[in-house]
Every structure is written in C-alpha cells, then in structure tokens.
C-alpha cells in the first residue's frame, strides 16, 4: 500500500516551555456552501452538534470544528477519516448544498504556548490580542505573505491552515521567526 | 498602504484585496444592438474623477467576496458608510 506523506512530513516539531510548533497532518476538511437561512443549514448544524456560525470570523467546535469562511461558506474540520462528509451529506439530503472534500488542499500547523501570539504577530497584520482574537475566533488572512486560515483555541493555542504547497515555506518562516523564543540550538535546520 | 474595510471581515490590509475598477457599470440591456463604438465604450471607458469614486473590491485573501466602496481618489479615504456587500 502506498504510504501517505503529509506536506510537512520532513518538518521536525519544536517544543519549548513557551512555544510548541507541530503539524497536525491529514485532518478531514470539508468545504461547505449553503444558504445560512435555509432548512438544510439548520439540519447540518444539528448533525454537527452546533448551529453553523453566522458571525464573521468565528468558529464553533461542538463536535467537528466549523470555521466561518464567508457569508454562505464554512470549513468543517474533523479528525482523520471519521466519515464527516457522509454526516453532512446525509443531513443535507437533496437540498441545494455544496459539499467538497478539501482535506488535501491545506495542512494544519499547531502553534501553542504563551508565545504563540508573539510569534504569529511577526508576520500577521491582524490584532491577535486575546481580547480581540480569543478562543472561538478565526480569520482568513496573510501570514508572512502566505494565505492562511488562523483559528484561535483555548490556552493560547492556534491552528494555522496553510496550502500544502506553501507549508514548507511557512514552517521554515515560523522556525526562523521563533528563534528568539526557543532555547539556543533548538532550530538546527538553518 | 490602504486599510480597506471589508464588510464581512473588517478592516484589512490593501494587500489582501484585488481591485475591480469602477462600480455600477451596467451590462448593456441588448448587447447585440450596440455599435462597435458603443461596445468599446462600455468595455473600456471608465470615469477617472478626482474625488469620490465608487469602485469594486474583492477580498481575495480573506472571505473572497466582492463589495462596493466609495474611495476619495485624491486622499484615499474610504467612506465607512459607503461600503456595501
């Protein structure tokens, strides 16, 4: 059987007291497009454990993570291969809904620890202060000139969704930007 | 750098946006009836005012939605009340 290789398979996770960077590979990601006022949207919300978030820049994580991507668009993120697409398809029935598996489009980099905001702020123009961008917030923006989706989680944790082809670049950039927060000698790839 | 207020995502850097030119340019009701000159005028001729200018923007690096904004071409000020999804 062919071995599945993640975009950051060759990236060595870094872990320090204040900062941890690691890839979370192969998460199931479903792009969902549906009229937020439709019956189907309510049914899908029910199946996913929480109503689809309609406030721009917010996400819910009752069961799967549901990230707001646009007024009629969401990104549903679940663990590796858990039949997420089937769940949504069943809930949507025959309604006018767009459901696309985009798992291979992006990989996820977890940036955790008290220094995570400082690190991301090196390359991101958004205000990442917990008062503005606390748990439950998400945003599509640029991080170090690469298009990313940022999702803030509890305890200063972030998930950075980055296009597979940009993942290597972004991981290198993160390591470089993190140099001042990591003990000497942690970053060996440069 | 401009700070452009996306109606969905809030104020973002200009680099996240794609410019769409003049807003409210209506597609001709009966394109086949136009002369070549009228068609060229519809395709290529745009206002170029000094001052208030209604234009289209797309938030390409964000929600990827088109919206209209009124920008003052002399000062680059974008009128907050004139940004519509």
């Amino acid at each position: 059987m062919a071995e599945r290789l993640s975009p950051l398979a060759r990236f060595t996770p870094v872990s320090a007291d204040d900062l941890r960077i690691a890839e979370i590979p192969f998460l199931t990601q479903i792009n969902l497009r549906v009229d937020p006022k439709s019956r189907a949207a309510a049914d899908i919300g029910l199946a996913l454990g929480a109503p689809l978030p309609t406030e721009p820049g917010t996400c819910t994580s009752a069961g799967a993570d549901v990230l707001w991507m646009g007024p009629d668009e969401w990104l549903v993120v679940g663990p590796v291969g858990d039949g997420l697409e089937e769940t949504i398809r069943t809930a949507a029935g025959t309604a006018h809904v767009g459901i696309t598996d985009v798992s291979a489009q992006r990989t996820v980099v977890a940036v955790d620890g008290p220094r995570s905001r400082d690190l991301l702020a090196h390359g991101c123009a958004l205000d990442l202060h917990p008062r503005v961008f606390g748990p439950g917030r998400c945003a599509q923006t640029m991080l170090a000139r690469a298009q990313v989706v940022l999702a803030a989680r509890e305890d200063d944790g972030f998930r950075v969704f980055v296009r597979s082809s940009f993942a290597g670049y972004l991981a290198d950039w993160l390591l470089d930007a993190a140099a001042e927060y990591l003990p000497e000698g942690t970053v060996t790839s440069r | 750098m401009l700070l452009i207020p996306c109606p969905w995502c809030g104020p973002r850097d200009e680099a996240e946006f794609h410019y769409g030119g003049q807003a409210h340019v209506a597609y001709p009701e009966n394109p086949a009836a136009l002369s070549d000159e009228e068609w060229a005028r519809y395709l290529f001729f745009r206002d170029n005012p000094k001052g208030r200018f209604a234009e289209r923007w797309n938030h390409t690096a964000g929600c990827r939605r088109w919206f209209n904004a009124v920008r003052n071409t002399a000062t680059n000020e974008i009128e907050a009340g004139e940004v519509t999804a």
Side-chain angles (χ1 to χ4, degrees), chain B residues 68-85:
Chain B
N68 294 343
V70 173
R71 180 175 64 95
N72 188 314
T73 55
T75 61
N76 269 337
E77 278 167 314
I78 293 172
E79 295 175 21
E82 295 289 341
V83 176
T84 43

Side-chain angles (χ1 to χ4, degrees), chain A residues 33 56 68-73 125-126 139-142 147, chain B residues 7-9 11-13 15-16 59-65:
Chain A
R33 301 211 55 173
W68 184 96
M69 305 290 272
D72 60 357
E73 185 174 7
L126 288 189
Q140 300 166 83
T141 185
M142 314 273 258
Q147 269 192 38
Chain B
W8 299 105
C9 307
R12 295 291 183 93
D13 269 354
E16 292 191 6
H59 192 190
T60 39
C63 59
R64 301 188 309 289
R65 261 60 187 183

